[in-house]
Amino acid sequence: SQKIEQNSEALNVQEGKTATLTCNYTNYSPAYLQWYRQDPGRGPVFLLLIRENEKEKRKERLKVTFDTTLKQSLFHITASQPADSATYLCALASGSARQLTFGSGTQLTVLP
Amino acid sequence: GAVVSQHPSWVICKSGTSVKIECRSLDFQATTMFWYRQFPKQSLMLMATSNEGSKATYEQGVEKDKFLINHASLTLSTLTVTSAHPEDSSFYICSAGALWQGSEAFFGQGTRLTVV
């Protein structure tokens, strides 16, 4: 069955360091992968999208990589700040699907 | 970016009553909207796909008679939880977006439903 796994439920990072979150998937051939941020009691907010033919995408302090051979995406936040503390969700969609399938999320805490 | 508004943001209802949640796309037309449910510390689970002018498509295990979805216009979808029970207490979130075009999904703020 299809499965999306995010490396850990919780991750603590010191302020100023790079936070790296992992998303692995099995039995899936996604056309693209997305990363969202979710704050407590709020809906997810889109961060980045990367397509299956792209290796890397950047946006300000954010970087996403996508390795379809390893079936893995890495999400990096450089120079992390306490305001980056939130739950980060990866989501996959196949080319024909009109909906996203979400991973379980990683709760990131950036320690001052 | 596009805005999806969800109302109410929280609601408490008695067991056995029905609750309606609204999801509006404020600055774009959405022929398709999605309804998710999220339990504490768990991910979003897709409940159903709401299609404007036609019946919703429900995911396996979701009771269509309990979770009524109506998508009567291009900017409004509603989810009605009928005969609510305490186990229906959850965080309900709607979204819209042209995913088949590789676009992002826009989410509402979510509705915290507590059934007492």
Side-chain angles (χ1 to χ4, degrees):
Chain A
S1 61
Q2 296 175 337
K3 192 183 285 188
I4 303 170
E5 290 183 337
Q6 294 190 237
N7 59 325
S8 56
E9 269 191 34
L11 178 67
N12 292 336
V13 172
Q14 207 65 40
E15 183 177 6
K17 301 293 186 184
T18 297
T20 299
L21 287 67
T22 305
C23 177
N24 295 293
Y25 58 92
T26 55
N27 296 323
Y28 217 118
S29 297
Y32 54 90
L33 184 148
Q34 302 185 2
W35 283 89
Y36 289 81
R37 168 182 173 143
Q38 186 176 25
D39 291 288
R42 308 287 293 178
V45 174
F46 172 79
L47 295 174
L48 281 169
L49 177 154
I50 187 165
R51 300 183 188 280
E52 60 179 336
N53 59 350
E54 297 175 317
K55 295 292 185 186
E56 184 179 296
K57 261 297 188 48
R58 290 174 185 263
K59 179 181 177 183
E60 297 174 350
R61 295 185 296 112
L62 309 180
K63 184 178 85 171
V64 172
T65 63
F66 194 10
D67 189 326
T68 55
T69 301
L70 291 178
K71 297 186 183 296
Q72 180 182 79
S73 174
L74 298 179
F75 177 77
H76 306 272
I77 305 175
T78 59
S80 57
Q81 305 165 359
D84 296 326
S85 298
T87 295
Y88 291 85
L89 304 165
C90 71
L92 305 180
S94 66
S96 58
R98 298 197 298 162
Q99 67 261 29
L100 293 171
T101 301
F102 284 86
S104 52
T106 296
Q107 185 174 348
L108 173 68
T109 301
V110 180
L111 304 170
Chain B
V3 178
V4 173
S5 178
Q6 194 171 335
H7 178 81
S9 56
W10 62 270
V11 58
I12 301 173
C13 71
K14 289 186 176 180
S15 192
T17 62
S18 296
V19 173
K20 180 185 285 188
I21 303 170
E22 293 187 348
C23 181
R24 294 181 185 273
S25 55
L26 297 186
D27 53 0
F28 67 103
Q29 294 182 334
T31 56
T32 303
M33 291 185 177
F34 304 95
W35 287 96
Y36 295 85
R37 179 167 51 183
Q38 186 176 35
F39 291 106
K41 295 197 180 296
Q42 294 187 25
S43 190
L44 285 72
M45 296 302 296
L46 180 67
M47 297 175 66
T49 302
S50 172
N51 304 298
E52 187 269 334
S54 64
K55 290 182 179 180
T57 305
Y58 290 82
E59 295 300 301
Q60 192 172 6
V62 178
E63 300 174 57
K64 61 181 181 182
D65 294 330
K66 180 169 185 61
F67 298 99
L68 300 179
I69 291 173
N70 184 279
H71 195 154
S73 77
L74 288 171
T75 59
L76 174 64
S77 174
T78 60
L79 168 68
T80 301
V81 183
T82 63
S83 187
H85 289 144
E87 56 264 33
D88 298 324
S89 298
S90 187
F91 192 55
Y92 292 87
I93 312 174
C94 68
S95 80
L99 297 180
W100 54 94
Q101 296 177 2
S103 173
E104 65 190 87
F106 303 100
F107 287 85
Q109 307 94 311
T111 297
R112 171 72 59 194
L113 170 64
T114 302
V115 184
V116 298

